[in-house]
């Protein structure tokens, strides 16, 4: 072991590490223990003293009357267990006692000293457990307050005491370790407890054996582990509960199944200990008679500290320090240096591998380990050992900033090392977009396609990449590694990138269409919206087929599932894809026609029809909005309207003219088919349709829409603009018949048009006058005034019309005159009768009752209307003539109705407006006395007064 390096990882504490045991401890130190922040020392005079961290005397007490041989501080409770000699009760009984002190309970003893409470005293040797020399002592705290005490003797036996000593509830049993008769060879020199799961094991060491007892067995079963042993103070337990024994030739470790590793440290092991993973040894050098205290780091195979010491009597560990108590009552306190100090020491010596091993074995945090690795890498880099330096830098990934390493290896000659680092950075999932870009650039610079394949196509899981996908695609695409970029895009589901490469870089349009067809409908719709313009430009028919599948998928199934079209709304609408056809209106028209033929009840039906109308009616097969994109480009086809109202086309290519005429026919069919008779509103925007027809001079469509909307005046205005006189008259014949829901006033507008025409139109005027006369639309005076404005018309045009109207008016005048005379005669007769009733008496000569026709007898009732009745025939109604009352009531009811109607102004004006002759309506109201100011007066004069014959009138 001489090749092990020596370091000074420990330093002496408390005034250079050397100090004296306090003078208050006057006796010879026989035993010592530590725990719970205390150092406990027992002397041959039976006193026990407690020292603090500075090895200052705290307090002492008389634990035993004669001598204290063994001490142990417990960890779970502040108890001290001691073995010492007290006064003998009898000569047959030994004075060796075991005591338990509670250091938390102090009892005053006299006036100046205090001592802890002794909660239990136990005689070790009894008749069943004969007296022998105690060579070792160990206490195990089980579940409090249970203690398991093992006492090793020089006769090869172990006395065990288990239980609650304070309550004297204990059991004793004995273990036989070695029964050999040789003196000194059977002494139990060391003990060690080990908890292996639920099993409790006890190691026992003698000078010539190592044994293991299974304490859960009754009686405990002994297992011999080795036939070599050691002396007292050369036994220890590691932090992994391994038994350690020291012999002159080596230090041995033992597990439950036997001997483990051994370390050949030569020299007599006077003391053996374990401290924080270090092996502590006090070794006597037989050549010079000096004792050396060594601290071994077994994992890193180094000596962490070494110094020559005096004769050591006790070795303890407390407060994170190692305390050596010498036989001359001096003490040495040694503490471990902090990690930073140890590493600085190693860095100064360039012992980086030792530093790395040190931080790893002492379980330092990852950042500290990475810092050591970084310094080692910097050291190797300065020595131009780039490969080994990179190996260290790779181990710092996750803690060291990658840019620190990357900057060192950006030189072209170090590109292989840089590639290795970047690969590991991606492997651990810590790479950024820039790192991915740099790594892919390295591959492309090296033209290492194989590594590029491995990097691109290797995955941790399905769809889980170790790099930024978009960055990888962009870099591969820029370096013309299109296949690799497509692989990444397809694997990551970045359909837009995959198609961008296929279409923009490779021009593989068929493959792009196949790929879109393989996608989910929602994804396919998104990709078509983004790249549809390119596809329509190069593969219009195939693109339209894909759009049809997207927009009409499972239509039949939808119709079976629901009848309200709810499923259709979940499918993409053709309107969503209009923008991809912005430069290809012919393809758009084909697509919308196919869709409209297949889907009859689409939610976007109105928008589709609007778009189709815009395409059908466009002269140059373009949207008005699209035409603006052409920046005023002149087209070969221009529309003009000729005198006969037909649309003519000037163009160099007759096929273009033919195509335009076919589209207009389609447009007219669409206008008619999309406005069924049973619908109030059409399946397109009427206002837009009218604008399109006007913009593109499509008269047939415009006439259809005006007529459908009952805008008859606008219809004839279209004919007037082109001076289509035959069409005008034919239109008025069709639309001016009020019996068929037409507007007769159209003839008046037509007559006004001919009156203002300024040219000879005698034939047309005569035709118009025939209909005006037939339906009595205008008075003759209005006709004369209207036609007088046209200087080209002569009186002969209207001579026959005027003659017939004058004759007709003459007949009406004669009829009115005769009616007036008759009404005057009737009025004079009524006035005369009224006067006669007022001034002259009436003579009633009827001899029979008007009601029953029997001879009239008294009492009788006579009415002024010359009707007579028996009083019994009239009953209670003696005021009205039963014969004349119904007629009278009807007249009065009519008058009340007229008076009521006179208050309804809306009805009056409606009749005036709707009548051909409004003046006749006003005259009728005057004639009925509704509008006159005459007072209603008393109605008594118009009523037939009655008088009883018995009253004598």
């Amino acid at each position: 072991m001489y090749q092990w390096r020596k370091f000074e990882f420990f330093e002496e504490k408390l005034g250079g590490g050397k100090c004296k045991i306090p003078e208050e401890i006057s006796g010879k130190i026989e035993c010592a223990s530590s725990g719970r922040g205390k150092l406990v020392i027992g002397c041959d005079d039976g006193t026990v003293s407690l020292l603090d961290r500075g090895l200052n005397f705290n307090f002492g007490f008389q634990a035993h009357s004669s001598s204290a041989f063994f001490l142990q501080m417990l960890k779970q409770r502040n108890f001290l267990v001691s073995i010492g000699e007290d006064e003998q009760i009898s000569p047959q009984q030994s004075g060796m006692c075991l005591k338990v002190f509670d250091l938390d309970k102090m009892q005053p003893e006299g006036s100046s000293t205090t001592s802890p409470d002794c909660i239990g005293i136990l005689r070790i040797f009894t008749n069943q457990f004969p007296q022998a020399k105690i060579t070792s002592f160990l206490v195990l705290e089980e579940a409090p307050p249970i203690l398991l005490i093992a006492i090793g003797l020089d006769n090869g036996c172990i006395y065990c005491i288990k239980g609650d000593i304070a309550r004297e509830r204990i059991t004793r049993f004995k273990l036989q370790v070695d029964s050999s008769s040789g003196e000194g060879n059977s002494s139990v020199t060391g003990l060690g407890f080990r908890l292996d799961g639920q099993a409790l094991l006890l190691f026992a060491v003698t000078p010539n054996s190592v044994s293991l007892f299974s304490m859960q067995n009754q009686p405990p079963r002994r297992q011999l582990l080795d036939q070599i042993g050691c002396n007292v103070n050369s036994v220890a337990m590691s932090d992994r509960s391994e038994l350690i024994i020291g012999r002159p030739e080596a230090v041995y470790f033992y597990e439950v199944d036997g001997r483990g590793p051994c370390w050949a440290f030569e020299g007599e092991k006077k003391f053996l200990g374990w401290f924080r993973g270090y092996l502590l040894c006090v070794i006597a050098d037989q050549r010079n008679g000096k004792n050396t205290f060594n601290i071994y780091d077994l994992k890193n195979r180094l000596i962490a500290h070494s110094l020559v010491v005096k004769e050591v009597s006790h070795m303890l560990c407390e407060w994170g320090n190692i305390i050596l108590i010498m036989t001359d009552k001096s003490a040495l306190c040694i503490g471990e240096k902090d990690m930073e100090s140890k590493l600085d020491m190693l860095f100064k010596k360039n012992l980086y591998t030792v530093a790395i091993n040190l931080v790893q074995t002492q379980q330092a945090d990852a950042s500290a380990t990475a810092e050591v690795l970084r310094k080692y890498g910097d050291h190797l880099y300065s020595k131009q050992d780039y490969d080994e330096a990179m190996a260290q830098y790779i181990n710092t990934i996750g803690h060291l900033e990658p840019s620190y390493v990357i900057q060192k290896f950006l030189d072209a000659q170090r590109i292989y090392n840089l590639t290795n680092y970047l690969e590991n950075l991606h492997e651990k999932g810590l790479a950024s977009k820039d790192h991915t870009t740099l790594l892919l650039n390295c591959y492309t610079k090296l033209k290492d396609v194989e590594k590029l394949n491995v990097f691109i196509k290797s995955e941790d899981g399905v769809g889980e990449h170790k790099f930024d996908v978009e960055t990888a695609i962009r870099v591969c695409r820029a370096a013309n590694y299109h296949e690799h970029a497509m692989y990444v895009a397809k694997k990551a589901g970045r359909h837009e990138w995959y198609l961008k490469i296929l279409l923009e870089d490779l021009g593989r349009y068929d493959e792009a269409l196949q790929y879109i067809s393989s996608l989910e409908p929602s994804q396919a719709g998104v990709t078509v919206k983004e790249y549809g313009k390119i596809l329509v430009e190069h593969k219009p028919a195939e693109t339209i087929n894909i759009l049809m599948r997207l927009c009409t998928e499972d239509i039949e199934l939808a119709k079976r599932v629901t009848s309200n079209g709810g499923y259709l709304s979940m499918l993409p609408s053709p309107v969503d894809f209009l923008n991809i056809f912005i430069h290809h209106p012919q393809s758009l028209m084909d697509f919308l026609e196919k869709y409209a033929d297949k889907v009859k009840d689409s939610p976007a039906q109105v928008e589709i029809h609007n778009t189709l109308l815009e395409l059908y009616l466009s002269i140059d097969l373009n949207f008005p909005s699209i035409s603006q994109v052409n920046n005023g480009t002149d087209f070969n086809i221009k529309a003009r309207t000729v005198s006969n109202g037909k649309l003519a086309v000037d163009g160099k290519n007759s096929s273009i003219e033919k195509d335009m005429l076919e589209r207009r026919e389609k447009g007219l069919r669409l206008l008619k088919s999309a406005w069924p008779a049973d619908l109030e509103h059409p399946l397109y925007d009427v206002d837009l349709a009218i604008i399109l027809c006007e913009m593109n001079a499509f008269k047939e469509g415009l006439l259809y829409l005006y007529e459908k909307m009952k805008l008859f005046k606008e219809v004839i205005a279209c004919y007037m603009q082109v001076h289509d006189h035959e069409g005008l008259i034919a239109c008025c014949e069709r639309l001016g018949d009020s019996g068929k829901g037409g507007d007769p006033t159209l003839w008046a507008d037509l007559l006004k048009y001919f009156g203002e025409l300024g040219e000879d139109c005698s034939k047309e005027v005569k035709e118009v006058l025939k209909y005006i006369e037939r339906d009595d639309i205008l008075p003759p005076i209005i006709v004369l005034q209207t036609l007088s404005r046209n200087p080209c018309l002569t009186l002969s045009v209207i001579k026959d019309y005027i003659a017939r109207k004058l004759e007709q008016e003459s007949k009406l005048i004669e009829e009115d005159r005769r009616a007036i005379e008759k009404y005057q005669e009737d009025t004079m007769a009524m006035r005369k009768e009224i006067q006669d009733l007022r001034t002259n008496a009436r003579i009633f000569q009827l001899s029979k009752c008007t009601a029953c026709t029997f001879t009239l007898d008294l009492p009788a009732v006579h009415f002024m209307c010359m009707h007579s009745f028996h009083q019994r025939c009239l009953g209670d109604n003696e005021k009205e003539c039963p014969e004349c009352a119904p007629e009278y009531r009807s007249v009065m009811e009519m008058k009340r109705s007229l008076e009521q109607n006179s208050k309804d102004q809306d009805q009056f004006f409606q009749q005036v407006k709707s009548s051909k002759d409004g003046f006749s309506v006003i005259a009728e109201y005057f004639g009925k006395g509704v509008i006159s100011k005459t007072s209603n007066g008393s109605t008594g004069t118009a009523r037939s007064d009655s008088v009883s014959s018995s009253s004598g009138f």
Side-chain angles (χ1 to χ4, degrees):
M1 293 298 173
Y2 292 108
Q3 69 271 24
W4 282 24
R5 294 174 181 246
K6 291 185 178 181
F7 299 96
E8 294 300 323
F9 289 164
F10 285 78
E11 59 184 354
E12 298 175 0
K13 307 280 185 178
L14 298 179
K18 299 176 181 179
C19 55
K20 299 290 289 183
I21 298 297
E23 295 180 356
E24 287 85 350
I25 302 175
S26 57
K28 179 184 177 182
I29 299 175
E30 292 288 345
C31 54
S33 180
S34 62
R36 299 179 71 88
K38 304 180 182 66
L39 195 66
V40 186
I41 296 176
C43 299
D44 59 353
D45 58 1
T47 60
V48 173
S49 302
L50 280 78
L51 307 182
D52 60 14
R53 186 166 189 160
L55 297 185
N56 299 313
F57 182 79
N58 196 346
F59 69 91
F61 63 93
Q62 192 72 35
H64 298 276
S65 59
S66 178
S67 178
F69 296 113
F70 295 94
L71 293 173
Q72 183 170 338
M73 279 292 299
L74 302 186
K75 295 181 180 180
Q76 298 183 27
R77 290 174 292 174
N78 195 18
F79 284 4
L80 174 66
V81 182
S82 68
I83 292 180
E85 189 172 359
D86 288 290
E87 296 179 356
Q88 291 183 335
I89 300 176
S90 63
Q92 292 78 16
Q93 289 184 340
S94 171
M96 199 67 66
C97 292
L98 183 145
K99 294 184 178 180
V100 180
F101 296 94
D102 186 351
L103 300 183
D104 290 332
K105 298 179 181 180
M106 308 299 291
Q107 292 184 351
E109 185 178 297
S111 59
S112 60
T113 62
T114 58
S115 63
D117 186 11
C118 180
I119 62 173
I121 302 176
L122 192 67
R123 295 286 178 177
I124 296 176
F125 301 113
T126 63
N127 294 332
Q128 291 80 13
F129 298 90
Q131 182 176 355
K133 183 181 179 180
I134 300 175
T135 55
S136 58
F137 168 67
L138 188 62
V139 180
L140 173 68
E141 291 182 89
E142 292 189 352
I146 304 302
L147 299 178
L148 177 58
I149 302 172
I151 302 172
L153 306 176
D154 63 350
N155 59 6
C157 290
I158 301 175
Y159 288 171
C160 295
I161 303 171
K162 183 177 182 179
D164 185 358
I165 297 177
R167 298 182 180 181
E168 297 185 357
R169 296 177 181 175
I170 60 173
T171 58
R172 296 172 182 254
F173 56 93
K174 180 170 63 174
L175 304 177
Q176 186 66 43
V177 181
D178 195 350
S179 58
S180 59
S181 59
E183 290 188 7
N185 292 331
S186 61
S187 299
V188 179
T189 55
L191 298 169
F193 284 112
R194 173 176 177 146
L195 284 172
D196 196 0
Q198 297 295 326
L200 177 61
L201 305 175
L202 174 63
F203 288 103
V205 183
T206 66
N208 53 15
S209 70
V210 177
S211 302
L212 179 68
F213 291 91
S214 298
M215 304 300 287
Q216 70 271 21
N217 297 330
Q218 292 299 330
R221 179 174 57 84
R222 174 177 176 264
Q223 177 185 357
L224 181 64
L225 299 181
D226 205 350
Q227 293 184 349
I228 60 172
C230 65
N231 296 323
V232 178
N233 296 328
S234 297
V235 180
M237 295 292 290
S238 72
D239 50 11
R240 294 192 303 169
S241 297
E242 297 171 305
L243 178 69
I244 309 172
I245 66 171
R247 292 179 59 82
E249 71 277 8
V251 174
Y252 299 90
F253 284 73
Y254 289 90
E255 289 282 354
V256 294
D257 53 354
R259 185 194 296 180
C262 66
W263 303 89
F265 304 137
E266 295 183 358
E268 182 185 355
K269 315 302 185 296
K270 288 195 171 184
F271 281 91
L272 206 64
W274 189 264
F275 174 75
R276 292 183 177 178
Y278 293 102
L279 176 65
L280 312 179
C281 288
V282 177
I283 301 176
D285 191 346
Q286 302 297 334
R287 292 171 294 184
N288 54 21
K290 293 183 179 180
N291 296 326
T292 305
F293 175 61
N294 290 335
I295 302 175
Y296 296 99
D297 184 348
L298 301 180
K299 291 182 179 178
N300 297 314
R301 296 178 180 270
L302 56 86
I303 299 174
H305 190 67
S306 179
L307 77 161
V308 177
V309 295
K310 301 177 184 178
E311 187 72 26
V312 179
S313 63
H314 297 88
M315 183 169 63
L316 304 170
C317 298
E318 188 65 26
W319 308 300
N321 296 327
I322 304 167
I323 299 106
L324 299 179
I325 300 176
M326 312 301 176
T327 54
D328 60 356
K329 289 193 176 182
S330 63
L332 187 63
C333 187
I334 301 172
E336 186 177 9
K337 295 180 180 179
D338 58 78
M339 179 63 72
E340 185 176 356
S341 300
K342 291 189 285 186
L343 292 177
D344 288 341
M345 185 189 307
L346 295 173
F347 293 153
K348 289 177 182 178
K349 298 179 180 180
N350 292 330
L351 297 175
Y352 293 97
T353 55
V354 178
I356 293 170
N357 294 333
L358 183 65
V359 295
Q360 290 176 346
T361 54
Q362 296 203 355
Q363 298 179 350
D365 57 18
S367 59
T369 305
E371 180 63 19
V372 176
L373 292 169
R374 181 193 66 79
K375 290 185 177 182
Y376 187 29
D378 293 345
H379 173 69
L380 294 172
Y381 185 87
S382 64
K383 294 171 64 177
Q384 297 186 351
D385 188 356
Y386 300 114
D387 295 339
E388 196 60 35
M390 180 54 72
Q392 306 307 319
Y393 288 135
I394 287 173
N395 291 326
T396 65
I397 291 176
H399 304 282
L400 181 62
E401 178 62 36
S403 59
Y404 177 85
V405 180
I406 293 172
Q407 288 177 353
K408 289 179 175 290
F409 290 87
L410 282 177
D411 186 5
Q413 296 179 352
R414 307 273 70 83
I415 191 170
Y416 291 98
N417 299 117
L418 179 60
T419 303
N420 186 22
Y421 180 79
L422 292 171
E423 286 174 348
N424 284 273
L425 201 62
H426 283 81
E427 188 70 29
K428 296 181 180 180
L430 299 174
S432 66
K433 295 180 181 180
D434 295 332
H435 299 147
T436 302
T437 303
L438 186 57
L439 178 58
L440 292 173
N441 285 329
C442 289
Y443 286 145
T444 55
K445 292 286 186 184
L446 295 171
K447 299 187 182 303
D448 194 343
V449 180
E450 183 178 351
K451 277 195 173 183
L452 182 60
N453 289 336
V454 172
F455 177 76
I456 291 295
K457 298 181 180 180
S458 64
E459 298 178 0
D460 293 335
V462 179
E464 296 179 5
H465 294 273
K466 293 174 282 190
F467 50 82
D468 182 74
V469 173
E470 188 170 337
T471 302
I473 295 172
R474 189 176 62 252
V475 174
C476 290
R477 187 184 177 202
N480 293 325
Y481 285 90
H482 297 115
E483 296 298 330
H484 294 82
M486 287 167 57
Y487 177 86
V488 175
K490 186 174 183 179
K491 210 70 177 177
R494 299 294 181 88
H495 312 298
E496 66 281 3
W497 278 104
Y498 188 87
L499 291 170
K500 185 187 287 288
I501 298 167
L502 276 178
L503 297 173
E504 297 179 4
D505 298 338
L506 304 178
R508 285 146 56 173
Y509 306 107
D510 292 327
E511 187 176 344
L513 288 168
Q514 290 178 359
Y515 183 76
I516 292 174
S517 300
S518 66
L519 298 178
E520 293 290 328
S522 58
Q523 296 173 340
V526 173
T527 54
V528 170
K529 288 178 184 178
E530 187 168 356
Y531 301 103
K533 293 179 182 178
I534 301 176
L535 293 171
V536 169
E537 181 179 357
H538 295 89
K539 297 289 180 179
E542 293 81 354
T543 306
I544 290 174
N545 290 335
I546 288 179
L547 289 175
M548 286 297 296
R549 285 199 298 272
L550 287 176
C551 297
T552 63
E553 182 184 14
D554 296 333
I555 289 292
E556 296 301 325
L557 175 62
K559 290 181 178 179
R560 291 195 296 268
V561 172
T562 177
S563 60
N564 57 8
Y567 182 82
L568 287 179
S569 61
M570 299 172 61
L571 295 174
S573 172
V575 180
D576 299 337
F577 303 100
L578 294 183
N579 65 309
I580 70 175
F581 295 96
I582 190 167
H583 299 300
H584 304 280
Q586 180 65 49
S587 299
L588 175 60
M589 187 170 66
D590 296 340
F591 168 53
L592 294 180
E593 285 177 346
K594 288 183 178 181
Y595 182 83
D597 290 341
K598 189 169 184 179
V599 183
K600 301 299 183 183
D601 53 352
S602 171
Q605 203 167 23
V606 173
E607 292 84 351
I608 293 171
H609 289 164
N610 290 341
T611 308
L612 280 173
L613 285 174
E614 198 169 352
L615 292 166
Y616 286 153
L617 304 183
S618 175
I619 299 173
D620 46 25
L621 191 56
N622 254 323
F623 298 106
S625 56
I626 297 176
S627 300
Q628 297 173 7
V629 181
N630 298 319
N631 296 322
T633 304
D634 290 332
F635 293 94
N636 294 329
I637 303 173
K638 298 296 179 184
R640 62 182 177 84
T641 305
V642 295
S643 58
N644 60 358
K646 301 295 183 182
L647 186 67
V649 177
D650 295 332
K652 297 180 180 179
N653 195 334
S654 61
S655 63
I656 298 179
E657 177 183 351
K658 182 179 178 182
D659 175 67
M660 187 188 66
L661 294 175
E662 290 178 354
R663 285 188 285 108
R664 297 213 162 187
E665 290 178 2
K666 291 181 181 179
L668 186 58
R669 286 199 299 270
L670 179 59
L671 287 174
K672 294 179 179 180
S673 63
W675 198 340
D678 57 339
L679 291 182
E680 182 180 356
H681 300 287
L683 298 175
Y684 50 82
D685 188 339
V686 179
D687 296 333
L688 176 63
I690 293 174
I691 292 172
L692 291 173
C693 291
E694 288 183 347
M695 287 178 59
N696 297 284
F698 184 40
K699 189 184 74 172
E700 290 83 355
L702 200 59
L703 292 175
Y704 172 78
L705 291 172
Y706 284 154
E707 186 174 338
K708 194 72 176 177
M709 298 170 68
K710 297 188 182 303
L711 300 175
F712 301 139
K713 294 185 182 299
E714 283 75 4
V715 174
I716 64 172
C718 293
Y719 287 98
M720 291 176 181
Q721 288 177 0
V722 297
H723 303 286
D724 186 0
H725 298 166
E726 293 181 3
L728 263 174
I729 294 175
C731 178
C732 287
E733 289 177 352
R734 190 177 70 255
L735 304 178
D737 190 352
S738 60
K740 298 180 180 179
D743 185 5
T745 61
L746 295 179
W747 294 107
D749 295 334
L750 187 54
L751 186 68
K752 182 180 179 182
Y753 164 73
F754 286 126
E756 297 175 351
L757 187 58
E759 62 183 49
D760 187 10
C761 50
S762 302
K763 180 181 177 183
E764 290 82 0
V765 171
K766 290 180 180 180
E767 188 74 19
V768 174
L769 289 175
K770 182 175 69 175
Y771 289 99
I772 291 177
E773 182 181 1
R774 185 192 68 182
D775 296 332
D776 196 15
I777 297 172
L778 290 174
I781 187 63
I782 300 298
V783 174
L784 286 172
Q785 291 175 352
T786 302
L787 295 178
S788 64
R789 298 171 187 170
N790 190 341
C792 298
L793 294 178
T794 62
L795 187 60
S796 60
V797 177
I798 60 171
K799 182 177 69 173
D800 295 338
Y801 166 75
I802 293 297
R804 289 191 299 273
K805 291 301 290 184
L806 288 175
E807 183 181 358
Q808 184 181 357
E809 291 293 332
S810 299
K811 291 180 181 180
L812 291 176
I813 292 171
E814 182 62 27
E815 291 176 358
D816 291 341
R817 187 182 61 78
R818 288 196 295 266
I820 291 171
E821 291 177 354
K822 180 179 180 298
Y823 289 147
Q824 287 177 347
E825 291 176 358
D826 293 342
T827 303
M828 290 299 296
M830 290 179 183
R831 287 177 178 174
K832 184 178 180 182
E833 184 179 356
I834 293 171
Q835 183 64 24
D836 186 44
L837 288 172
R838 287 179 175 175
T839 58
N840 299 323
R842 286 273 181 150
I843 299 173
F844 300 99
Q845 297 176 345
L846 286 177
S847 60
K848 291 184 179 181
C849 176
T850 305
C852 63
T853 68
F854 291 108
T855 303
L856 192 64
D857 55 3
L858 295 176
V861 178
H862 304 281
F863 291 94
M864 290 294 184
C865 59
M866 305 307 293
H867 293 137
S868 300
F869 299 89
H870 293 117
Q871 191 176 16
R872 61 179 178 273
C873 292
L874 290 177
D876 296 333
N877 188 10
E878 298 181 356
K879 295 183 179 182
E880 287 184 343
C881 173
E883 292 292 327
C884 299
E887 182 181 357
Y888 173 72
R889 290 196 190 98
S890 63
V891 173
M892 295 304 295
E893 185 67 29
M894 185 183 301
K895 187 174 181 179
R896 280 195 298 270
S897 176
L898 291 174
E899 292 175 353
Q900 184 68 29
N901 290 339
S902 66
K903 299 177 182 178
D904 190 353
Q905 299 179 8
D906 294 336
Q907 183 180 359
F908 168 74
F909 287 110
Q910 182 65 31
Q911 291 180 9
V912 173
K913 184 178 180 180
S914 61
S915 175
K916 295 180 181 179
D917 186 5
F919 183 77
S920 63
V921 176
I922 298 174
E924 182 182 356
Y925 269 73
F926 271 105
K928 294 177 181 179
V930 175
I931 305 179
S932 67
K933 295 183 178 180
T934 56
S935 175
N936 290 337
S938 174
T939 59
T941 59
R943 191 176 64 181
S944 300
D945 292 337
S946 62
V947 62
S948 172
S949 60
S950 60
S951 63
F953 303 105

